[in-house]
Amino acid sequence: MIIETIIATTNDNGTPHLAPMGPEYSVGYQNFVLRPFEGSTTLANLVQRRAGVVHFVDDSMLFARAVLHQWDELPPLRLADEVAAPMLKDYLRAFEFDVTFVEASSNRKALSCVAVKEHIGRPPHGCNRGFNAIVEACILTSRLEFLPKENVDRQWTELQTIIDKTGSGVEREAMGLLTENLRKFTLNPNCASGV
């Protein structure tokens, strides 16, 4: 099972780094695998520090800003209790974790992780299809360099329709940020593979 989350890690200079990522969980949430892209800041931070915090959140703007690394101001953070990493102050559920093993045999490293402390946050506000569409748009955004333009355009149109029908003002604003980024990105019309 994959759940889309926000991962918090610590950069080389001690500053916080937030990125959306979908850990793959087996039974329960105590053990999971992360597969960050090669060259990503999250991968570098996790390999070097071997710790982070995974957050379950329902804030679509947080996902959009994290995938774009566009922050007017970072969301409120605190230090985690057990690991050397920052932690969001607003979350539904969070797990401080250690990286126990790095598998480097595939084209994307697989990091085996174990939760060392669980936090229960506030109750969820509820979920609408617009929020889910933002998560999907963030996943597309993270893969723009790999996807053919035709696929991105088709999926983007479908996601925008869902947000227009069901999203809140926050989802519309988040999609606006993601769409502005898409307009600036040069998509590869000849890319052969899609995700």
Side-chain angles (χ1 to χ4, degrees):
M1 169 178 64
I2 295 175
I3 298 177
E4 299 302 326
T5 66
I6 300 293
I7 304 284
T9 58
T10 303
N11 293 320
D12 278 343
N13 62 4
T15 59
H17 181 76
L18 302 174
M21 191 171 300
E24 184 177 342
Y25 293 93
S26 49
V27 177
Y29 299 102
Q30 297 308 305
N31 297 285
F32 55 92
V33 175
L34 293 172
R35 289 185 171 84
F37 288 114
E38 282 292 338
S40 70
T41 301
T42 299
L43 176 59
N45 291 348
L46 289 173
V47 168
Q48 180 179 355
R49 295 192 179 253
R50 301 285 177 138
V53 181
V54 60
H55 304 86
F56 294 18
V57 299
D58 58 3
D59 180 346
S60 55
M61 185 58 78
L62 182 58
F63 272 97
R65 291 198 180 282
V67 77
L68 297 173
H69 304 294
Q70 283 184 9
W71 304 101
D72 298 328
E73 184 178 325
L74 283 171
L77 298 163
R78 71 172 183 87
L79 291 175
D81 297 337
E82 304 290 333
V83 301
M87 182 172 170
L88 292 168
K89 289 186 176 180
D90 182 35
Y91 55 86
L92 307 176
R93 193 171 186 182
F95 295 90
E96 300 180 40
F97 67 89
D98 287 328
V99 176
T100 57
F101 184 74
V102 178
E103 172 60 56
S105 63
S106 65
N107 59 349
R108 273 174 81 179
K109 286 186 172 63
L111 285 67
S112 297
C113 304
V114 62
V116 296
K117 184 167 184 178
E118 179 179 2
H119 301 267
I120 303 297
R122 64 168 174 77
H125 295 306
C127 197
N128 67 54
R129 290 179 66 215
F131 171 78
N132 293 331
I134 289 297
V135 171
E136 290 299 323
C138 288
I139 293 167
L140 269 178
T141 297
S142 73
R143 298 173 180 177
L144 289 177
E145 62 189 273
F146 311 120
L147 297 174
K149 182 179 185 329
E150 179 182 306
N151 286 10
V152 172
D153 288 345
R154 178 183 46 76
Q155 291 180 60
W156 208 268
T157 299
E158 292 170 1
L159 294 171
Q160 183 67 63
T161 299
I162 292 169
I163 289 165
D164 290 345
K165 287 182 177 179
T166 69
S168 70
V170 174
E171 278 84 37
R172 289 184 179 90
E173 185 180 354
M175 191 62 166
L177 284 177
L178 295 168
T179 300
E180 182 61 29
N181 176 74
L182 179 63
R183 286 188 186 117
K184 295 175 185 175
F185 194 88
T186 304
L187 293 169
N188 183 353
N190 301 316
C191 184
S193 63
V195 176

